[in-house]
Amino acid sequence: MGVKVCKFGGTSVADANQFRKVQSIVKGDPERRYVVPSAPGKRHKDDRKITDLLYLCHEAAKQNFTFDEVFSIIADRYEQIVRDLGLSLRLGPTLDDVRRQIARNGATGGTADYAASRGEYLSGIITAELLGYEFIDAAEVIFFDAQGRYDDARTYMVLGERLKKSPRAVVPGFYGQSAIGAVKTFSRGGSDISGAIVARCAGADVYENWTDVSGLLMADPRIVENPRAIDTVTYRELRELAYMGATVLHDEAIFPVRKVGIPVNIRNTNDPDHPGTTILSQPTATTPIAHKITGIAGRKGFTVVNVEKAMMNAELGFGRRLLSVFEDNGVSYEHTPSGIDTMSVVVADSQINGKLERILEQLKVECNADAVDVDSDLALIATVGRGMAHTPGMAARLFNALAEASVNIRMIDQGSSELNIIVGVSGADFEKAVRAIYRAFVD
Ligand code: ASP
């Protein structure tokens, strides 16, 4: 039988109703043997996340304020979940202990990490009881080294062994044990990392990341109405999309599974029949490509510095001198499209703001340029897709779509991997251009 590891995010365990969905998802597939829950998140827009409330308790304790009122909101929420689920679990003594430990502020038990980790700890106890799975405290099986970095070798050994003895278990997300034996958390949102670690240690066939959206979307839904979900995406494509502004899982969150080639499947707890998005290391020959492109992402706020000099192409070291001006000013660049006698440097406004005048002066001197000018308000749009490589006509389709939408293209860049085509358009045309590209490639 295969092994699936399921991580459930905060909204998936926000109340008893959501916990029931988790139960039916896990019970619906016997291969779902390991479960990694987050702490209860928001039930509605104005709600509070349990993790935030726990940090608040710790802060108050640190300043010697009472935090009983905040803590009782936390305790009530857990007690209500247990009650509504009809479990016979008695959480009272555990909650009392957590409150006492937080009040001991300063001692090993009273750190911010300890306080925050209890959200997942309590969630884990409830999930294990609900599913009839064994509860494994993450502090016993996930380790950090003396520098505070995740200790992969030790974790792999301990958690790997432990899971071999536990055919079905719940491991709370977000935390582990520090080198001095205290509770230590990952960065915020870190349950994604815990899930990936459990998947790797269990040798899982798939890491299911259950959240409240049906996977990654092909375009920003604030720009394109009802964009389709991406069915499969490779890590390389994901990197291109994330770089251009699409919100996806954090790099750190997937590296444990990426390393060993375990696919990640992003799923929606509120729409469990939707297949979601699968992230693969390498697409196999049978991996379907639903559309020629995988996704479109982009950002506004770029500036182009154009440098012109006759016979530039024959001048040895010209490009290096030009880029060193940016480097000396601590400005990293995005692209360098060039012509015969021109070279342009595209930089993010956030990089160049306040330094532009000096850079222009230095360019004139260092490069002995005939002309230096600046185009501001550029937006970059990346059209990404492994299906584009070696397929004639893709660029034509893209440029036609932009022409028909009366969008002027100010820059073009296609990486040699043919994985993406990046176009620069004026900021005012950004949304119109994204919509036109989407329509051209997605029916
Ligand atoms: N509960 C933690 C947070 O809100 C970790 C997580 O949910 O992934 O950051």
Side-chain angles (χ1 to χ4, degrees), residues 7 10 38-39 49 51 120 174 187-192:
K7 178 257 170 178
S38 281
K49 291 177 71 168
T51 312
E120 269 72 9
F174 193 35
S187 53
R188 293 299 305 265
S191 297
D192 283 334

Side-chain angles (χ1 to χ4, degrees), residues 253-363:
I254 37 185
F255 94 91
V257 282
R258 177 178 186 172
K259 225 167 71 173
V260 291
I262 298 172
V264 181
N265 184 200
I266 302 173
R267 300 285 290 265
N268 189 351
T269 301
N270 304 320
D271 186 6
D273 294 331
H274 194 293
T277 299
T278 301
I279 309 170
L280 297 168
S281 301
Q282 281 300 331
T284 60
T286 54
T287 306
I289 300 182
H291 305 279
K292 283 287 179 204
I293 63 166
T294 301
I296 306 163
R299 277 190 285 153
K300 291 186 188 179
F302 294 93
T303 294
V304 194
V305 178
N306 303 303
V307 181
E308 196 178 324
K309 186 174 183 199
M311 305 301 287
M312 158 196 300
N313 60 331
E315 192 179 318
L316 204 62
F318 184 86
R320 182 182 48 75
R321 277 196 297 284
L322 190 151
L323 290 176
S324 68
V325 170
F326 288 85
E327 185 179 347
D328 293 346
N329 284 281
V331 172
S332 79
Y333 71 94
E334 311 287 327
H335 303 280
T336 53
S338 55
I340 306 296
D341 284 337
T342 59
M343 188 162 161
S344 304
V345 182
V346 180
V347 288
D349 293 349
S350 54
Q351 285 280 320
I352 206 164
N353 279 348
K355 297 176 177 169
L356 187 58
E357 289 309 314
R358 198 170 66 219
I359 288 177
L360 297 184
E361 280 309 312
Q362 288 180 8
L363 282 174

Side-chain angles (χ1 to χ4, degrees), residues 86-371:
L87 300 174
S88 55
L89 188 68
R90 280 188 56 241
L91 267 193
T94 315
L95 286 163
D96 286 345
D97 185 48
V98 171
R99 178 156 31 71
R100 264 196 308 275
Q101 296 282 357
I102 295 177
R104 278 175 65 211
N105 142 53
T108 321
T111 60
D113 280 14
Y114 169 82
S117 74
R118 296 304 89 180
E120 269 72 9
Y121 176 78
L122 290 157
S123 226
I125 292 176
I126 297 173
T127 312
E129 178 79 12
L130 181 68
L131 298 173
Y133 279 22
E134 183 187 349
F135 173 78
I136 300 178
D137 188 353
E140 291 169 12
V141 290
I142 292 182
F143 300 97
F144 294 87
D145 65 16
Q147 278 74 45
R149 288 175 310 219
Y150 163 61
D151 185 341
D152 189 45
R154 187 170 174 210
T155 303
Y156 188 62
M157 210 169 66
V158 176
L159 180 55
E161 279 310 308
R162 185 70 184 266
L163 295 180
K164 276 189 204 139
K165 293 188 206 113
S166 311
R168 296 181 184 277
V170 173
V171 184
F174 193 35
Y175 70 94
Q177 184 190 124
S178 76
I180 56 161
V183 165
K184 180 169 167 53
T185 60
F186 289 102
S187 53
R188 293 299 305 265
S191 297
D192 283 334
I193 309 176
S194 309
I197 292 170
V198 174
R200 154 149 154 80
C201 293
D205 299 291
V206 57
Y207 168 31
E208 292 183 341
N209 190 296
W210 291 84
T211 171
D212 53 8
V213 289
S214 298
L216 308 173
L217 299 173
M218 291 185 76
D220 187 337
R222 287 165 301 187
I223 301 175
V224 172
E225 201 183 323
N226 257 328
R228 288 173 188 253
I230 298 174
D231 46 14
T232 54
V233 59
T234 64
Y235 285 107
R236 280 178 67 202
E237 290 173 305
L238 198 63
R239 162 101 183 93
E240 308 265 354
L241 290 167
Y243 165 73
M244 286 304 286
T247 33
V248 289
L249 288 177
H250 201 277
D251 271 355
E252 199 192 358
I254 37 185
F255 94 91
V257 282
R258 177 178 186 172
K259 225 167 71 173
V260 291
I262 298 172
V264 181
N265 184 200
I266 302 173
R267 300 285 290 265
N268 189 351
T269 301
N270 304 320
D271 186 6
D273 294 331
H274 194 293
T277 299
T278 301
I279 309 170
L280 297 168
S281 301
Q282 281 300 331
T284 60
T286 54
T287 306
I289 300 182
H291 305 279
K292 283 287 179 204
I293 63 166
T294 301
I296 306 163
R299 277 190 285 153
K300 291 186 188 179
F302 294 93
T303 294
V304 194
V305 178
N306 303 303
V307 181
E308 196 178 324
K309 186 174 183 199
M311 305 301 287
M312 158 196 300
N313 60 331
E315 192 179 318
L316 204 62
F318 184 86
R320 182 182 48 75
R321 277 196 297 284
L322 190 151
L323 290 176
S324 68
V325 170
F326 288 85
E327 185 179 347
D328 293 346
N329 284 281
V331 172
S332 79
Y333 71 94
E334 311 287 327
H335 303 280
T336 53
S338 55
I340 306 296
D341 284 337
T342 59
M343 188 162 161
S344 304
V345 182
V346 180
V347 288
D349 293 349
S350 54
Q351 285 280 320
I352 206 164
N353 279 348
K355 297 176 177 169
L356 187 58
E357 289 309 314
R358 198 170 66 219
I359 288 177
L360 297 184
E361 280 309 312
Q362 288 180 8
L363 282 174
K364 279 184 203 138
V365 178
E366 293 290 323
C367 304
N368 199 8
D370 297 335

Side-chain angles (χ1 to χ4, degrees), residues 244 298-300 302 304 335 337 346 375-383 398-399 402 407-414 421-430 433 437:
M244 286 304 286
R299 277 190 285 153
K300 291 186 188 179
F302 294 93
V304 194
H335 303 280
V346 180
D375 267 344
S376 54
D377 187 30
L378 186 81
L380 295 180
I381 302 169
T383 305
L398 191 146
F399 298 137
L402 293 176
V407 172
N408 178 37
I409 302 172
R410 286 165 56 187
M411 188 209 88
I412 301 169
D413 189 1
Q414 178 176 30
I421 300 175
I422 296 175
V423 293
V425 301
S426 109
D429 284 339
F430 176 63
I437 299 172

